[in-house]
Amino acid sequence: MIKDKLLRLWNGLASMQVTIVSMVLLMALVLLCTLAQTDLGTFGAVHVYMRSFVVKRWFTGIPFPVPVFPGGALVGLVLVLNLTAALIKRIDFNWHKAGIWVAHAGLILLVAGEFSTGAFQVETNMSIEEGQTVNWLESPREFELTVTDVTDPARPEAYGIPESLLKQGKDLPLPGTPLTVRVKAYYPNSTLTRLGPGDGAPLATQGVGTGIKVAEAPLAATETEVNLVSAVVEPLAGGRSYGTWLASNGIGAPQSFIADGRTYTLAVQNRRWYLPYSLTLKKFSHDLYPGTNIPKNFSSLVHVSNPSRNEERDVLIYMNQPLRYEGRAFYQASFGKGDKLSILQVVQNPGWLIPYISCTLITLGLLIHFGLTLRRSMKRRQEQKVNA
């Protein structure tokens, strides 16, 4: 009985109907994802429709999101299983079918590559002004509370606390320092307004926060909106409090305090990852078509300095020509400050070669299949001529 059920499941999984339904669902998801980019932005739409197992929606009166459509991750998984089962069940293991085997393997690898990208790809930015040297990457969507020891301005030491750890009432010790940061309030998104009569006492007792009123706001709904992350924190060291401070990415400059003879700054900024090498922007170019304001090309001439490799060299990064370095790709993405600021999109994707390999396999498989079919056809014609 169990064997029959497993056999029916296997036959159903390998059926052509599953392939067709999966392809139709994928086409529908691509259409819905494209339309949703107007409201959600590219990243948000891809996350909701293509990299989730189910697409969910909120409905009035229901306190939880309701699944309304299969997501791209689920459809892709079913398609991979379907193609694998069909490959094993239908196609003979002989060299006449070698092309079909290779093409199917390439198709399965292509879908699996998208899973790898969704699971492991990390996208960050590097913003450099002309003449500036930068050795960190910033997340465009994640923030952190940064405490920086600036006692020696030539060698500042930064300690980043990810936003995910900012919970009200939590004490966060900073390794290697006598400091502990107590979180007294946290706002994933907020509005900051000047404190007025009748607003009550400020949450902060030190710094610019003493004149600011903080209110919670709904989270940003689209890719173009940015959350105004705010936190009210109290630095502690040796049982002594150094006041209560308001830190926010809506406050322009870091605020400073002195503890145990050392000077620290407090700020909320985009989450950073530091690199063992640095890039210096020597020249940013914004070329236009002659006589128009239509962009022709953007390029950044950067100097790569990597002490661990004794490497010093210049690299030109321009449109569709990234710098691939130590597992990351630096793309020319945007610019600003009167063409003096270059913004590079930095992508770390361990599976970036998979699409190239899979497309090569599919092409190779189809060529092999075409060649073998042509050879058999010519052989049959030759035999017919001999027998005639």
Side-chain angles (χ1 to χ4, degrees), residues 73-113:
L74 178 60
V75 178
L77 179 62
V78 171
L79 186 59
V80 167
L81 296 175
N82 169 254
L83 292 174
T84 305
L87 191 66
I88 296 172
K89 181 183 176 185
R90 292 197 187 123
I91 302 178
D92 299 331
F93 288 87
N94 61 62
W95 73 275
H96 294 292
K97 303 292 185 182
I100 300 296
W101 272 93
V102 173
H104 270 74
L107 189 57
I108 292 170
L109 189 61
L110 183 65
V111 179

Side-chain angles (χ1 to χ4, degrees), residues 60-351:
T60 305
I62 302 178
F64 51 83
V66 178
V68 294
F69 205 77
L74 178 60
V75 178
L77 179 62
V78 171
L79 186 59
V80 167
L81 296 175
N82 169 254
L83 292 174
T84 305
L87 191 66
I88 296 172
K89 181 183 176 185
R90 292 197 187 123
I91 302 178
D92 299 331
F93 288 87
N94 61 62
W95 73 275
H96 294 292
K97 303 292 185 182
I100 300 296
W101 272 93
V102 173
H104 270 74
L107 189 57
I108 292 170
L109 189 61
L110 183 65
V111 179
E114 174 55 25
F115 277 97
S116 170
T117 299
F120 303 111
Q121 178 170 288
V122 178
E123 294 185 18
T124 51
N125 290 334
M126 176 180 277
S127 302
I128 327 175
E129 294 187 43
E130 281 189 354
Q132 185 185 17
T133 299
V134 171
N135 69 334
W136 64 79
L137 307 174
E138 289 186 338
S139 169
R141 287 173 284 273
E142 295 179 55
F143 294 88
E144 65 182 11
L145 173 69
T146 303
V147 181
T148 307
D149 185 342
V150 294
T151 307
D152 181 359
R155 302 181 61 182
E157 295 184 30
Y159 305 90
I161 301 174
E163 188 183 347
S164 58
L165 297 180
L166 298 178
K167 308 294 182 187
Q168 185 170 339
K170 194 169 183 177
D171 287 349
L172 302 166
L174 301 183
T177 78
L179 286 177
T180 293
V181 175
R182 176 170 293 167
V183 183
K184 307 201 78 167
Y186 162 63
Y187 303 88
N189 193 18
S190 61
T191 57
L192 304 181
T193 55
R194 188 177 296 278
L195 201 65
D199 286 332
L203 296 175
T205 61
Q206 302 288 332
V208 298
T210 55
I212 295 177
K213 177 185 176 183
V214 189
E216 191 164 3
L219 290 173
T222 67
E223 188 179 2
T224 55
E225 296 178 298
V226 178
N227 288 323
L228 207 60
V229 179
S230 300
V232 180
V233 296
E234 181 181 17
L236 304 165
R240 178 183 171 186
S241 170
Y242 291 90
T244 303
W245 300 75
L246 171 65
S248 171
N249 55 326
I251 298 176
Q255 304 169 80
S256 63
F257 65 94
I258 298 175
D260 286 351
R262 304 194 70 82
T263 303
Y264 298 90
T265 61
L266 271 171
V268 169
Q269 61 186 22
N270 294 78
R271 190 176 179 187
R272 288 183 177 181
W273 291 268
Y274 288 87
L275 304 171
Y277 53 90
S278 62
L279 270 63
T280 303
L281 180 62
K282 300 180 74 173
K283 175 68 177 174
F284 175 75
S285 298
H286 177 189
D287 304 323
L288 303 175
Y289 285 99
T292 72
N293 290 323
I294 301 173
K296 179 182 180 182
N297 184 46
F298 306 101
S299 61
S300 297
L301 178 62
V302 299
H303 180 79
V304 180
S305 177
N306 191 341
S308 64
R309 290 184 174 186
N310 292 323
E311 187 175 1
E312 301 285 342
R313 64 185 174 105
D314 289 347
V315 178
L316 182 65
I317 301 172
Y318 53 97
M319 296 171 70
N320 301 321
Q321 187 60 44
L323 162 67
R324 297 192 185 279
Y325 194 74
E326 294 203 343
R328 294 182 174 88
F330 295 76
Y331 296 90
Q332 184 66 61
S334 187
F335 61 96
K337 294 190 175 180
D339 291 352
K340 296 296 181 184
L341 171 71
S342 176
I343 301 174
L344 304 175
Q345 183 186 30
V346 186
V347 178
Q348 185 176 16
N349 180 10

